[in-house]
Amino acid sequence: MDTLVLLASTLSPSRLENEIKNGYTARLLQWHDLPRSLLSISGRPALSWWYDAAKTVFKNVYIVANAYNYKHYERWASGHDFPTNHILNCGISVLSDIAFVHRVKKCNEGAMIMTADFLYDSDQDSWFLDLVTDLSTKQTNQLFTYGDKQTHLLCTMGHDILESLASLPQTSTLYDALNIDDNKQQVVKVQQPSTHLYMDDSLSLDNFLSTWLDYFEKRREGSCLAKTDVLQVKAYARVGLMGNPSDGFYGKTISMLISNFWAQVTLIPHNKSESEYGNITIMSNPVADPRRFSTMSSLANLIQTDGYENGDRLLLACCKVFYCYCNEAGINIDTQQGFKLLFDTNIPRQVGLAGSSAIITACWKALLKFYHVTNEQIPLEKQASLVLSVETDELGIAAGLQDRVIQAYGGLVYMDFDQQFVEEHGYGKYERLDSSLVPPLFLAYVARPEDSGKVHSTVKQRFLQNDPEVIEAMKQFASFTVQARESLERGDHHAFAQMMTSNFEQRRKTYGDAVVGAANLRMVDLARQHGCVAKFPGSGGAVVGMWDGSDETTRSQDLLKLRHALESEGYVFVELTPMGDQA
């Protein structure tokens, strides 16, 4: 048999569901109207535990619901890789439900029928999966019960029985169905599962919760030694020194980490004594990522400054990508112990300093430490690509590899995103350079920026359409990067400054002043008025620059005057401190 039917139909709410519906605590409000099989057990809907096991045995799994809970199962299906067209809306009686599935989905090889209220755990109840696996290979008609109750746990029905169901009265039992045409079938009694079957309509919410807390407490007693140390991991802001934005266009760039700004992720392991031992909790930072506001005015002002993006989704997406990659790569991680995650950041938002990437990178490195995954298991170049996929593939955020590469490697890195190499390997060619080669740098940025993503305009679309002007511009950015590296390696800071100016002018020509923005143009103009050069370190909202005067004795005075000029117009000025290798 390759078909499993999970009966989730309920004509009326149970005692447990009524208690939830009539309660208004924060926890109960999250569970309002949920059927029992979708209530959260150790952070997951109960049905999910069984489905993970069922899909390894059965080709087709169908859930029969009714109007009372049909939409809830559809929403569950959309988040658990379950075909929504396998959620069937019926719920008249047990036999009618089974007959309905057979009529609509055929089930020509017969089917196995099970209550959707059963929670299965492969670590504790492998005997049950063995039983189901064995029965799925046979054409049998059997009914299994447990304990002293005649409540069904599981039954198997061949095609002949399924064809005859429509002729039976709706009040018939599964036992009656399996004895059609005097084909007597013996009821098989199986051992009481260690997991709790909560089909009893009289089950209270307190009993439900206490049963599962006891169950998972027993599970963790046999787990490996729990981790107790709190992990705090930082990832630093970066400045693109040369070649950007060609990292998104198969170009070349030089990028550097700076220690002035960072994002920090704190991972707090759960203790074995905690009821939420196996849970993963994303905690909201009241400053960096607030969820509570004193007034409507404070809410509106914060959104106007920081936008609608939040760090919670970055952490969630990072955890998902990390877990899925480890599974696919055969990297064994023990997920029985859970943790709390909290992030903080002082990286200015929306000014192109890789703030989002830093949050994800810090989370990624915290997960590496918590699960003891090494750089040998996931090489740095692959880590950078995976961190990028968190934003591009999971969240649909336009981004390039440069940020993730420098935050993975640290220090100063030369990056070659040769198209053939990237398409073949999924990452570029990266070389660490000596950070001491870089002259003293400053950063200026807009105190109240607009959305930095607007700076890219239609250039990406034109590049994909093989616009010759854009193609040539990206070649120029790559050429500037090669020349800038050569300048640094021979200690020619003046030549490096010229490349910074060339990089900015090429960007201005390619994107246009309207996209570059008046505030950004003003920062570059002020820098030039005071013997300095400047360019974008990222997507816009900030400039990175250096002094390029002819008289060394005026350097300090020129930079001080520039600082005063920028600050008088509302910009922020910072002298940068390079950050060493982080890997």
Side-chain angles (χ1 to χ4, degrees):
M1 296 177 181
D2 61 0
T3 298
L4 172 70
V5 179
L6 293 170
L7 298 175
S9 300
T10 53
L11 299 179
S12 61
S14 64
R15 172 184 173 183
L16 178 154
E17 291 162 332
N18 277 324
E19 286 183 26
I20 292 174
K21 184 177 181 179
N22 296 324
Y24 293 93
T25 65
R27 179 173 64 178
L28 295 184
L29 283 171
Q30 298 177 56
W31 293 347
H32 269 202
D33 294 330
L34 279 182
R36 286 175 295 178
S37 54
L38 294 186
L39 291 178
S40 178
I41 303 296
S42 191
R44 303 178 65 200
L47 183 60
S48 303
W49 294 86
W50 166 240
Y51 176 59
D52 284 349
K55 68 183 180 181
T56 66
V57 178
F58 298 96
K59 181 180 178 181
N60 301 307
V61 179
Y62 300 105
I63 296 176
V64 182
N66 60 0
Y68 171 66
N69 54 33
Y70 179 72
K71 289 299 179 183
H72 290 293
Y73 284 105
E74 275 199 322
R75 282 194 287 271
W76 170 84
S78 65
H80 291 81
D81 193 29
F82 189 93
T84 54
N85 65 343
H86 283 201
I87 307 290
L88 306 178
N89 192 357
C90 193
I92 299 174
S93 70
V94 171
L95 293 187
S96 295
D97 291 350
I98 299 172
F100 174 75
V101 175
H102 178 60
R103 187 170 65 253
V104 173
K105 298 298 182 179
K106 307 309 179 185
C107 308
N108 292 326
E109 296 183 5
M112 191 171 294
I113 319 298
M114 181 177 291
T115 172
D117 286 340
F118 180 74
L119 183 146
Y120 168 82
D121 180 73
S122 59
D123 294 334
Q124 301 296 318
D125 298 310
S126 59
W127 66 270
F128 186 75
L129 183 61
D130 291 341
L131 171 66
V132 171
T133 303
D134 180 61
L135 290 174
S136 68
T137 62
K138 301 175 181 178
Q139 293 292 337
T140 58
N141 302 315
Q142 296 188 66
L143 175 65
F144 293 83
T145 64
Y146 72 96
D148 296 327
K149 299 180 180 179
Q150 290 300 308
T151 307
H152 73 275
L153 167 63
L154 160 73
C155 72
T156 58
M157 291 187 175
H159 176 69
D160 56 331
I161 299 293
L162 292 174
E163 285 284 349
S164 304
L165 291 183
S167 63
L168 289 175
Q170 290 187 7
T171 56
S172 300
T173 66
L174 286 172
Y175 188 80
D176 295 331
L178 290 171
N179 284 278
I180 292 175
D181 298 329
D182 295 324
N183 182 23
K184 300 296 183 182
Q185 300 294 327
Q186 183 177 356
V187 175
V188 180
K189 182 176 292 188
V190 296
Q191 69 185 88
Q192 173 73 34
S194 61
T195 48
H196 175 59
L197 294 171
Y198 48 101
M199 295 179 288
D200 186 351
D201 284 344
S202 65
L203 182 72
S204 70
L205 179 61
D206 287 342
N207 287 338
F208 169 83
L209 294 175
S210 64
T211 298
W212 286 115
L213 291 178
D214 290 344
Y215 170 68
F216 282 102
E217 180 62 35
K218 292 178 181 178
R219 277 190 62 189
R220 71 182 64 126
E221 287 175 359
S223 65
C224 64
L225 184 64
K227 306 171 186 71
T228 58
D229 292 339
V230 174
L231 299 176
Q232 288 189 310
V233 181
K234 286 183 178 179
Y236 292 84
R238 68 93 189 94
V239 289
L241 292 183
M242 200 65 59
N244 56 303
S246 72
D247 57 308
F249 303 86
Y250 303 112
K252 297 180 175 73
T253 64
I254 296 175
S255 191
M256 184 178 75
L257 276 195
I258 57 174
S259 63
N260 305 73
F261 305 106
W262 63 86
Q264 177 174 277
V265 166
T266 301
L267 186 154
I268 308 168
H270 288 308
N271 296 321
K272 279 195 171 186
S273 60
E274 293 182 274
S275 61
E276 296 185 344
Y277 177 73
N279 290 8
I280 309 296
T281 304
I282 308 297
M283 300 174 65
S284 174
N285 185 302
V287 176
D289 208 25
R291 290 293 179 275
R292 297 181 65 183
F293 306 91
S294 58
T295 64
M296 183 65 78
S297 174
S298 64
L299 181 152
N301 288 335
L302 184 134
I303 295 301
Q304 185 173 351
T305 302
D306 291 345
Y308 294 98
E309 304 301 335
N310 59 68
D312 290 3
R313 66 176 191 151
L314 301 178
L315 301 183
L316 287 169
C318 182
C319 289
K320 188 257 188 178
V321 170
F322 179 87
Y323 174 78
C324 290
Y325 180 79
C326 287
N327 266 359
E328 294 167 3
I331 300 172
N332 186 32
I333 59 175
D334 180 5
T335 60
Q336 290 194 42
Q337 183 179 10
F339 50 80
K340 296 182 180 73
L341 278 180
L342 174 70
F343 87 92
D344 196 6
T345 182
N346 68 353
I347 301 175
R349 297 196 179 195
Q350 302 185 51
V351 296
L353 296 179
S356 295
S357 175
I359 293 171
I360 298 170
T361 299
C363 180
W364 182 272
K365 291 183 177 181
L367 294 174
L368 289 175
K369 288 186 176 183
F370 182 74
Y371 290 112
H372 302 295
V373 178
T374 67
N375 291 339
E376 286 70 36
Q377 291 173 292
I378 311 180
L380 290 177
E381 58 269 22
K382 183 63 178 177
Q383 290 185 40
S385 297
L386 289 168
V387 170
L388 174 64
S389 74
V390 172
E391 294 196 66
T392 57
D393 298 343
E394 292 298 314
L395 302 175
I397 300 172
L401 264 170
Q402 176 183 213
D403 300 358
R404 292 87 198 156
V405 172
I406 189 61
Q407 288 167 338
Y409 280 75
L412 180 71
V413 178
Y414 175 87
M415 310 173 198
D416 182 352
F417 300 101
D418 175 75
Q419 183 171 0
Q420 182 177 347
F421 188 90
V422 170
E423 290 178 348
E424 181 178 348
H425 296 87
Y427 50 83
K429 304 173 185 177
Y430 312 134
E431 298 178 62
R432 282 193 172 100
L433 304 179
D434 184 355
S435 299
S436 66
L437 297 174
V438 179
L441 300 171
F442 67 83
L443 182 78
Y445 60 90
V446 181
R448 295 178 65 87
E450 297 179 355
D451 182 6
S452 63
K454 296 177 183 177
V455 77
H456 286 304
S457 187
T458 60
V459 170
K460 186 70 173 184
Q461 180 181 356
R462 292 167 60 197
F463 177 81
L464 295 174
Q465 295 172 346
N466 293 316
D467 185 314
E469 182 180 346
V470 175
I471 298 295
E472 180 58 31
M474 297 308 156
K475 291 180 180 178
Q476 285 295 319
F477 286 125
S479 174
F480 298 151
T481 302
V482 173
Q483 295 177 63
R485 175 177 180 172
E486 294 172 350
S487 299
L488 289 176
E489 290 177 337
R490 66 173 182 265
D492 189 345
H493 290 172
H494 177 67
F496 182 77
Q498 289 181 314
M499 289 301 100
M500 292 183 75
T501 296
S502 297
N503 200 125
F504 177 79
E505 291 301 333
Q506 181 64 61
R507 184 162 192 159
R508 182 177 184 180
K509 176 182 177 182
T510 304
Y511 288 87
D513 285 1
V515 174
V516 170
N520 296 315
L521 289 171
R522 181 57 178 163
M523 285 187 286
V524 173
D525 184 50
L526 287 172
R528 292 175 179 177
Q529 290 178 25
H530 294 84
C532 300
V533 298
K535 64 175 289 295
F536 283 4
S539 56
V543 296
V544 59
M546 58 176 285
W547 180 81
D548 189 38
S550 56
D551 185 355
E552 185 69 30
T553 61
T554 68
R555 175 196 292 267
S556 297
Q557 192 64 26
D558 289 342
L559 289 173
L560 181 61
K561 290 179 180 179
L562 172 60
R563 176 174 191 155
H564 291 167
L566 287 164
E567 291 176 345
S568 67
E569 296 191 22
Y571 301 105
V572 181
F573 179 93
V574 180
E575 293 183 2
L576 296 183
T577 304
M579 190 70 202
D581 297 351
Q582 298 301 297

